[in-house]
Amino acid sequence: MVAHASVIGAIGGTPSVWLDRLCAAAGVEGRILAKMDYLNPGFSKKDRAALGILDAAASSGDLTSGQAVVELTSGNMGTGLAIICAVRGHPFVAVMSEGNSTERARMMRALGAEVVLVPQAPGGVPGQVTGADLALVETRAQEITTERGAFRADQFNHPGNAMAHETGTGPELWDDSDGSLTAFVDFAGSGGTYAGTIRALKARGDVRGYLLEPDGAAVLSGGAAAHPDHPIQGGGYAMPDLAHMAGAPVDGYLSVSGDAARQVARDLARVEGVFAGFSAGANAAAALDLLRGPEKGGTIGIVLCDSGLKYLSTDLWP
């Protein structure tokens, strides 16, 4: 084992685990390899993107010593940024919808972040953050960035997001599978994880990429946002134009219901001892569907995006 100079050195290099018990319980033919990114220091995959963005910004001079950092977040990116900013001496302001789980805001505050909560759009439901809610958060984040002369991390546009997964998550998944992956599926939030990971995987082998969205908000596949409210926090915002997806190869689109994501997240805990969150359940549910259909007998890679500890105040856990 290596002793790191700071907790930043512990970001990435997470283990992967075969979900053979889950596959057997579901009666599917094939395997799922899950990258356990909820074991990052901030308990989510967003630690990688946060580090990628801040490293790139510091190298380019866009982020200067002691400058404040501001970002829109559902909580996971904010936690990653809070950790890195604490170590490197940057004040950090997280701007988040009141619809996100309270654990996330409390964790960021514990890490020294200033958390600005933005009321949901009219008719908003706690635990269900829509694109309309996110638009309100974006407006407030822009205001604070200007007011404080801050660096805006801008996870939906900054190339450091996808690059962190192209240089980290994708190669790690491929190596952990001994080059056996036939497909990768990921729930769309900013699109950075999917875009970076699939580029890395396709550079190494014949791997098909599937983009996952919530039922009723599958706009990236050309559908309408008929039901943008869903419980899968951190993604599925019904945003048809994601900068990270420009030019990213997609071999197929899938959708998943909140109920399916919830149930498979619970199955992961009960069958595999994996205590992960809503989007991890969505990814695993989609992988099972692929093994029942076009990827029967294949080997599918997924990311377990964040920890189940971040959802104790929600209906994910009975």
Side-chain angles (χ1 to χ4, degrees):
M1 300 296 288
V2 176
H4 299 292
S6 77
V7 71
I8 294 172
I11 294 173
T14 56
S16 295
V17 61
W18 292 105
L19 302 182
D20 291 340
R21 295 166 188 81
L22 182 72
C23 290
V28 298
E29 183 179 333
R31 303 186 82 186
I32 300 171
L33 182 65
K35 170 64 66 175
M36 302 177 75
D37 261 23
Y38 71 92
L39 296 181
N40 276 306
F43 308 132
S44 92
K45 67 176 184 177
K46 291 290 189 177
D47 288 9
R48 295 179 186 262
L51 182 58
I53 290 170
L54 293 186
D55 277 352
S59 294
S60 68
D62 291 335
L63 175 63
T64 59
S65 178
Q67 185 180 14
V69 175
V70 174
E71 182 55 337
L72 162 158
T73 181
S74 67
N76 285 333
M77 174 62 83
T79 298
L81 289 169
I83 289 169
I84 299 162
C85 286
V87 173
R88 294 183 175 174
H90 297 282
F92 173 59
V93 183
V95 190
M96 189 169 87
S97 171
E98 287 183 346
N100 290 117
S101 60
T102 59
E103 292 90 342
R104 301 176 184 218
R106 293 175 69 181
M107 184 175 181
M108 286 187 288
R109 288 192 183 103
L111 290 164
E114 176 184 345
V115 179
V116 176
L117 295 177
V118 179
Q120 290 185 269
V125 177
Q128 298 179 3
V129 178
T130 66
D133 296 326
L134 206 66
L136 295 174
V137 178
E138 172 63 25
T139 297
R140 187 67 185 116
Q142 290 179 6
E143 293 170 348
I144 295 172
T145 300
T146 300
E147 291 166 3
R148 306 198 185 186
F151 168 74
R152 176 66 191 278
D154 198 11
Q155 62 175 302
F156 279 84
N157 293 287
H158 198 289
N161 178 348
M163 185 56 64
H165 297 290
E166 187 168 357
T167 59
T169 311
E172 289 173 26
L173 262 174
W174 181 255
D175 290 346
D176 291 348
S177 76
D178 290 326
S180 66
L181 290 185
T182 58
F184 173 72
V185 61
D186 193 59
F187 186 70
S190 70
T193 305
Y194 175 85
T197 303
I198 197 59
R199 282 199 295 265
L201 292 175
K202 282 183 175 289
R204 287 163 170 78
D206 182 17
V207 181
R208 290 168 291 281
Y210 295 87
L211 195 63
L212 178 62
E213 300 178 271
D215 285 350
V219 300
L220 294 170
S221 62
H227 300 287
D229 50 332
H230 60 86
I232 311 172
Q233 296 183 34
Y237 298 121
M239 298 168 65
D241 299 311
L242 293 176
H244 295 303
M245 291 303 302
V250 181
D251 296 293
Y253 294 89
L254 302 172
S255 64
V256 64
S257 70
D259 286 343
R262 182 185 293 109
Q263 184 56 58
V264 177
R266 293 173 179 175
D267 291 343
L268 281 169
R270 178 179 55 83
V271 176
E272 295 282 5
V274 170
F275 194 55
F278 254 120
S279 52
N283 283 340
L288 291 171
D289 285 344
L290 285 170
L291 292 178
R292 296 184 183 102
E295 297 295 332
K296 182 178 180 180
T299 302
I300 302 175
I302 65 171
V303 175
L304 302 179
C305 311
D306 65 1
S307 170
L309 292 171
K310 298 191 176 190
Y311 301 88
L312 293 177
S313 66
T314 75
D315 66 355
L316 179 57
W317 308 114

